[in-house]
Structures are given as C-alpha cells and as structure tokens.
Amino acid sequence: MPARQKKRRRFAPTNTALRMGRAGLCLKQKELGALLGSLNRVREIENGRKTLSQAEYDRDMARMGVPLGTAPVLLGVAEVFCRLEEEDHDPFALPAEAHLEIERAAFEAAAGVRRRFLADAQAHRFAADREEAARLWEILVPHPAPKRKAIAAASRFARWALAERLCAESVRVAPHDPGEALSLARLGVHLARRVRGPRPFRNRLEAYCRAHVGNALRVGNDFDGADGEFARAGELWTPPEPGEPSPLDEARLLDLEASLRRDQRKFPEALRLIDRALEITVGDGLETGRRLLKKAVVFEHAGDSEAAIETIREALPLVDLGGEPRNPCVARFNLAVNLLFLDRVAEAQALIPAVRALAMAQSLDLDLLRVDWLEGRLAGANGRRGEAIARIGGVIARFAERKMHYDAALAILDLAALLLEEKRGQEAAARVAVAVPIFRAWGIEREGLASLRLFLDAIEQQEATAALARAAALSWRRFGGEPPKKPLKR
C-alpha cells in the first residue's frame, strides 16, 4: 500500500506578506522577534501554524518600520503569490532561496510603487500650495512695500510657496526696478523666518530668499552687499535628506550667484556655478536651455565668442520648446551678435528675419529697437555706410526718447566709427561730445577701460579714428553687458 503523501501547508496572505517584509528588510527571524516581542510567534507565523489577522498584520508591519502605504501593496502581492502556490506545482517546486529572492524583489517593487505614489502626491501638494500663494500674491500686489509687509503679518501669509513667489516676482522686476526687487526678496526672507516646519527646511527657505536679495543688490550694483547675502545663503543651505520633500530649486541659487560672479568679471567661477546648476537640472529642458543661454553670455563677456556661439546652438532646441516666450528671440539675437564679433557677417545677417519676426510676435518694442541697431551695424560691416549711418542715427534718437541715455551713448560710438570712415570727423566729434558726459556720469573711467579712455581723449584732441571708436565700443560691450542702473554720483 503506497505511503500517504504529506499534505502541503497553506499560508495566509498576511503570513506571506510579513515574511516578504522581513526578507525585504534583510532581517533574521531572531531580529524580527525582538521587534515584535516574541521569536516563537514569528516562527509560528512563518511556518503557518498561526494565521495572522489583518489587524495583527497592520500592527506588526508598523513595528517593523514598513511605510504605511507599502503594507497594503505588499499584501496585494502576497495574495497573488498565495494563489499561485495553491496550484499543484510540486514536481517543479522552487527551492527556498528562490522564494526568498522573489519575496525580496516583490517587496522592493512594492516600495518603488509607494515612492512613485508619494512623489505624485507630494507634487500635487506643492502645486496646491503654489496656487494658494498666487491668490495671496494677488492680495499683496496692489499695495506699496510698507503696506505689503503689514498685510503679510497675518498668519495665513506665512507660507513657503508665497516666499518662493515673492522671489520669482523679484527676479521678474529686477531689470526695470531693482528697488522693488529688493523689497520683494526681503519680504520673502521675513516670511521664511515665520514659516512653520522643520528647521532644516526653514533654513533652506531663508537661504533661497537671501539669494534673491543678493540678486536684487547685484542688479542695483551693490556687489559687496550681494556677496554678503550669498555667503549667508551658503551657510543656511543644507541639501535635503533622501526622501525629504524638497520644493525649492537649489540650482536657482547657483544660477543667481553665477550672475554676480559674471558681473564681477570672475568668469571661471561664474562658469563653474552654471555647470553645477546644469548638473542639478538634468531632465528639465526649459531650465537647461535658459541656463545655457546664461552660460553663453558669460563666454561673450569673457571675449570667447566661439564658445558663446557653440553654447547658444546647444540651447536653441531647448528654448524653442516653450517656457519664457522671449528666450527664442534672445538666443538668436545673441547668436547674431557673437557672429558679428567674429566678422561672420553673412551668418549673422541670415538670422535677422527670424529675430525680427519673434520680437514682433511678442510685441517686444525694445527688442525690435535693438534689432534695428544690430542691422545698422551689419550694414556698416557690409560696406553700406550710408544706410548704416541712417539706421544707427535713428536708433540713437529713439533711445533718447526713451531716456535710455547709456544705450544711446554706446550707439554713438558705432555711429562715430562710421562717420570717421566717411571723413566726417567734425560731425563725429559733435556726436561724441554728447556721449562723453554720459559715459563719465556712468563711471566708465573708473572701470579701467583703456581703449575707451584713449578714444575719448583722441576725440578731444581731434585725433580719433574709426578703429579707436570700434575698439572702444567692443571693449565696453564685453566689459559690462548690462549697464549700471543709475549714474555714479560725482
């Protein structure tokens, strides 16, 4: 009579899920017994002599430190696993080691699903916080700076997303109103200090806002003050721990400091900061494109137009994706400028129709004015000096109408070079006589620009040449980029 076949023990899904959890956490039975208070109980659960209830399962998983969202996912995997075990696969039964690996892999898969769900939920929370910040900003925006601070004293305004929004608004208005930009960023610092939450996050939020204070000071030409704010931001910022919610963009701090180092003529440091920012922004095409454009400007100011051109061409497909609507126009304009610096006039000329169309589509009147200026310079480079003189003369008048005296004075240098080539020295001298006090008011002499001082002296002595005029214009363009926001006091 054949021997009776031993009946195979069936395991409840809760028992299997607990065993999978132990495998995934790489715990021995003895270690799990210490966590749950009884080694014998663990052995009974894992060999099937005790069936684990749902309530016991939830409690034991919590004691093991398994995240709350992972426990039900793990149980669902175990239920599938148990159904498969009920099938008669004894002739092909897997060894215990294989089962252990399967259970560990299932646990890791469940944990990965939880991380994705958690990341999605966190992203929705960040978006909701930013929507609320937009509503709070609309309450603040009609009021002057002192009134805003008084209104923001209410507890409902102490939100991280509102501090972040104030920083974004600070960047937006900085080119036109550095004082307003500084006020907004400082209000962000004030809110950051009142926001509830873990100290490391509050420190990061204050660091983020201080970097924007530094940026506003930079735009206002207070480089020493900007240095101090960026130093303080660096002291406060600590990277978030793995898995810690992190809505703030660390690359923004690097990006803003790079602008300061560029304006301080510390080009290697500026490039290093931008490269670090680019490493952090992997996967964000729009931000990568914007930062590549900034990198190209650093190369341009450093006098390396070849590198600027290469970088702009790398950025173009990214900035054309969307985001800031002005960037596709700016990228092509800067590309044309750098091509002109290298006397690649035909290539620069070929870009003008696209630049003009993009500027017109966005109704960017000031950009269109700069396109006219560039076209005048291109006409001169092509030998059409009469056309160039007429174009640049018109540009100067329109700059003057806008009270953009710095730009008008710089355009006068271009015009002077053309007039000197046309043997119209007296007219060139008269034009530059208007520009000289403007340049001196902006403190150019203090910047050590030898070619510009040489040209101004030559004008006064009636010994100026077109070459000197062009050298002066190129030197200042590559020295400063953006002009100071107010003349120096004498």
Side-chain angles (χ1 to χ4, degrees), residues 458-473:
I459 281 288
E460 291 176 357
Q461 298 170 24
Q462 299 184 347
E463 296 175 356
T465 65
L468 276 176
R470 289 202 168 89

Side-chain angles (χ1 to χ4, degrees), residues 169-178 181 215-216 218-219 326 482-483 485:
E169 293 297 329
S170 174
V171 170
R172 184 181 65 81
V173 304
H176 318 291
D177 192 342
N215 183 66
R218 171 193 71 84
V219 175
R326 185 170 172 261
E482 292 295 324
K485 301 305 175 201

Side-chain angles (χ1 to χ4, degrees), residues 128-204:
D129 287 347
R130 287 174 173 132
E131 287 177 5
E132 175 63 16
R135 289 190 286 271
L136 294 172
W137 167 245
E138 290 302 319
I139 296 171
L140 294 175
V141 71
H143 301 284
K147 182 69 172 176
R148 282 180 195 157
K149 188 171 182 179
I151 295 170
S155 59
R156 68 183 178 125
F157 286 88
R159 306 289 184 90
W160 72 264
L162 180 57
E164 180 193 57
R165 177 60 182 264
L166 289 166
C167 290
E169 293 297 329
S170 174
V171 170
R172 184 181 65 81
V173 304
H176 318 291
D177 192 342
E180 172 72 352
L182 184 59
S183 172
L184 290 167
R186 282 178 171 163
L187 181 55
V189 172
H190 177 68
L191 292 182
R193 289 174 170 173
R194 294 169 46 216
V195 167
R196 293 182 179 178
R199 172 59 64 181
F201 173 73
R202 292 170 61 198
N203 285 345
R204 280 196 295 275

